[in-house]
């Protein structure tokens, strides 16, 4: 018996939808957010990490200086490199620590801009899903935290990467800590898909400046040192796609380390509150341009052909300043 034409067409359209969905799932993309630059095309922002302690351990003092520098530089947004709430993240989206460690601390007018945040290992020890919840944006509209995503800021694209699942220790030797791995059904698949999505996004980017942000350091002479898993799996992708800066927290210090085999600069800003004096491993000192074992934060100013990075201490002193110039049209 012949199948009616309408049924054939319906089955065909269903097949096309199925193929289309399959292609979508196979080629997932990182969610992208647009962040306008200034009218002159320039961009400026602050970077802070490892901060959420209800104002303690000089968090409030660092926040005060961020407000002053933020006003001076007319910042467009703030980047948080993770470990947003200590000691064990948030207990739920209703946890008062969110307001007590964020909304009531970063009160300066200049800091009332969008905050782009990633999760750190301490955030995973609590209710990680809570920090990702849109409910928190209703409490404080500045807050935007996802596992991995992209911010398109015209002359720069910033790629936020969820680095905690890369670290073997959290799975093999958790030291009596529990981690909220909901949303990561298969660690191997999660990391593989994330790296594929990052590779795709980086290769498609035509931004003048490419910046990758994660919680864990690729290179550090601080307490935790280099993260081998990121050196093996993430760094080759950054090098292959001409990434300019990798920014992170995790080590409670300020650092600037240059890569010895590429133009990538490794910038640690994890000194938002508690820090440890003299906590230096220094196992791999190659490329170290600056290290400070106290509290503070970092600023980034970008123009078409110039980037300026500055590190500040808890009273606002500039500890280290570095300029990088980019030749847009290299001579052949």
């Amino acid at each position: 018996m012949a199948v009616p034409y309408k049924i054939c067409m319906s089955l065909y359209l269903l097949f096309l939808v199925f193929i289309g969905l399959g292609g979508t799932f196979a080629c997932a993309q990182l969610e992208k957010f647009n962040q306008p630059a200034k009218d002159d095309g320039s961009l400026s922002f602050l970077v802070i990490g490892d901060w959420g302690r209800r104002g303690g351990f000089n968090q409030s003092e660092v926040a005060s200086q961020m407000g002053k520098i933020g006003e001076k530089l007319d910042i467009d947004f703030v980047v948080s490199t993770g470990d947003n709430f200590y000691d064990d993240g948030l207990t739920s989206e209703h946890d008062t620590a969110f307001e007590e460690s964020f909304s009531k601390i970063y009160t300066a007018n200049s800091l009332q801009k969008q905050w782009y945040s990633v999760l750190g290992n301490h955030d995973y020890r609590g209710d990680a899903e809570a920090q990702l919840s849109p409910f928190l944006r209703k409490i404080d509209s500045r807050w935007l935290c996802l596992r991995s995503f992209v911010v398109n800021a015209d002359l720069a694209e910033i790629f936020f990467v969820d680095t905690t699942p890369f670290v073997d220790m959290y799975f093999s030797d958790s030291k009596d800590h529990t981690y909220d791995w909901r949303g990561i059904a298969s660690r191997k698949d999660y990391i593989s898909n994330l790296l594929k999505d990052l590779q795709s996004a980086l290769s498609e980017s035509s931004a003048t400046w490419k910046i990758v942000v994660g919680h864990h350091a690729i290179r550090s002479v601080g307490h935790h040192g280099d993260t081998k898993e990121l050196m093996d799996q993430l760094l080759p992708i950054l090098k292959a796609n001409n990434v300019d800066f990798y920014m992170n927290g995790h080590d409670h210090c300020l650092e600037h380390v240059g890569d010895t085999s590429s133009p990538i600069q490794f910038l640690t800003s994890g000194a938002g509150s508690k820090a440890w004096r003299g906590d230096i491993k220094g196992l791999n000192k190659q490329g170290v341009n600056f290290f400070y074992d106290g509290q503070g934060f970092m600023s980034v100013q970008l123009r078409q052909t110039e980037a300026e990075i500055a590190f500040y201490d808890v009273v606002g002193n500039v500890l280290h300043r570095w300029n990088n110039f980019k030749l847009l049209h290299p001579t052949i």
Side-chain angles (χ1 to χ4, degrees):
M1 183 177 67
V3 179
Y5 173 77
K6 288 185 178 180
I7 295 178
C8 288
M9 287 302 299
S10 296
L11 291 172
Y12 177 67
L13 291 173
L14 184 61
F15 173 76
L16 290 179
V17 170
F18 175 77
I19 293 298
L21 289 174
T24 301
F25 291 136
C27 302
Q29 293 184 341
L30 298 175
E31 190 169 358
K32 183 174 289 190
F33 300 87
N34 291 321
Q35 170 65 55
K38 295 181 176 63
D39 291 340
D40 64 359
S42 66
L43 195 70
S44 60
F45 58 95
L46 302 181
V47 183
I48 185 76
D50 304 76
W51 42 267
R53 298 182 186 270
R54 292 182 166 89
F57 294 95
N58 283 340
Q59 183 193 359
S60 293
E61 286 73 14
V62 172
S64 176
Q65 295 302 325
M66 288 175 64
K68 294 176 182 178
I69 300 300
E71 181 177 0
K72 180 180 179 181
L73 301 182
D74 187 21
I75 61 168
D76 300 289
F77 56 91
V78 179
V79 167
S80 171
T81 59
D83 276 4
N84 307 313
F85 302 99
Y86 283 96
D87 279 327
D88 298 314
L90 298 178
T91 58
S92 73
E93 59 186 16
H94 301 286
D95 192 338
T96 58
F98 176 72
E99 292 180 85
E100 293 169 358
S101 290
F102 177 60
S103 300
K104 295 180 180 180
I105 302 298
Y106 302 101
T107 56
N109 289 335
S110 67
L111 304 181
Q112 306 309 303
K113 306 290 177 67
Q114 189 70 64
W115 282 56
Y116 298 107
S117 307
V118 290
L119 297 173
N121 54 298
H122 281 267
D123 300 314
Y124 265 103
R125 293 180 186 177
D127 183 346
E129 298 285 338
Q131 291 194 48
L132 310 178
S133 172
F135 180 79
L136 294 187
R137 300 177 207 173
K138 296 179 181 179
I139 299 175
D140 194 321
S141 60
R142 294 178 292 172
W143 185 255
L144 196 158
C145 181
L146 297 175
R147 296 185 193 275
S148 300
F149 60 102
V150 180
V151 172
N152 177 13
D154 295 332
L155 84 163
E157 274 200 293
I158 309 175
F159 305 81
F160 292 78
V161 179
D162 184 20
T163 60
T164 301
F166 283 82
V167 181
D168 294 335
M169 179 180 67
Y170 304 137
F171 296 86
S172 61
D173 183 16
S174 59
K175 297 181 180 179
D176 298 325
H177 297 297
T178 57
Y179 292 84
D180 181 7
W181 297 126
R182 288 176 297 167
I184 305 178
S186 167
R187 180 191 176 203
K188 181 179 179 181
D189 291 344
Y190 180 83
I191 293 173
S192 175
N193 290 333
L194 174 53
L195 291 175
K196 289 177 183 176
D197 293 344
L198 179 63
Q199 163 64 34
S200 176
L202 283 169
S203 65
E204 293 173 2
S205 175
S206 59
T208 302
W209 301 98
K210 294 183 183 181
I211 301 169
V212 175
V213 174
H215 176 62
H216 296 77
I218 293 179
R219 284 292 323 283
S220 171
V221 294
H223 175 80
H224 297 288
D226 299 348
T227 306
K228 185 178 185 303
E229 296 89 342
L230 298 184
M231 293 186 76
D232 292 342
Q233 300 177 70
L234 181 59
L235 183 55
I237 293 176
L238 307 191
K239 288 184 176 182
N241 289 281
N242 301 312
V243 167
D244 297 286
F245 308 116
Y246 177 79
M247 302 176 180
N248 61 273
H250 197 46
D251 272 334
H252 295 191
C253 59
L254 302 172
E255 292 182 87
H256 172 202
V257 182
D259 189 47
T260 56
S261 61
S262 79
I264 298 174
Q265 304 297 308
F266 304 107
L267 305 168
T268 296
S269 183
S273 57
K274 192 175 184 178
W276 294 276
R277 290 291 188 187
D279 192 7
I280 306 171
K281 276 190 174 178
L283 298 178
N284 183 0
K285 295 182 180 179
Q286 289 185 328
V288 176
N289 296 305
F290 165 73
F291 175 87
Y292 177 67
D293 55 352
Q295 293 122 341
F297 60 99
M298 180 174 74
S299 70
V300 181
Q301 298 179 78
L302 300 175
R303 300 173 184 83
Q304 279 292 332
T305 59
E306 181 183 6
E308 181 175 298
I309 309 296
F311 292 89
Y312 307 83
D313 67 12
V314 70
V315 294
N317 294 321
V318 176
L319 302 172
H320 175 69
R321 193 186 302 274
W322 180 81
N323 293 79
N324 183 38
F325 297 90
K326 178 168 291 206
L327 188 63
L328 294 183
H329 303 290
T331 303
I332 299 176

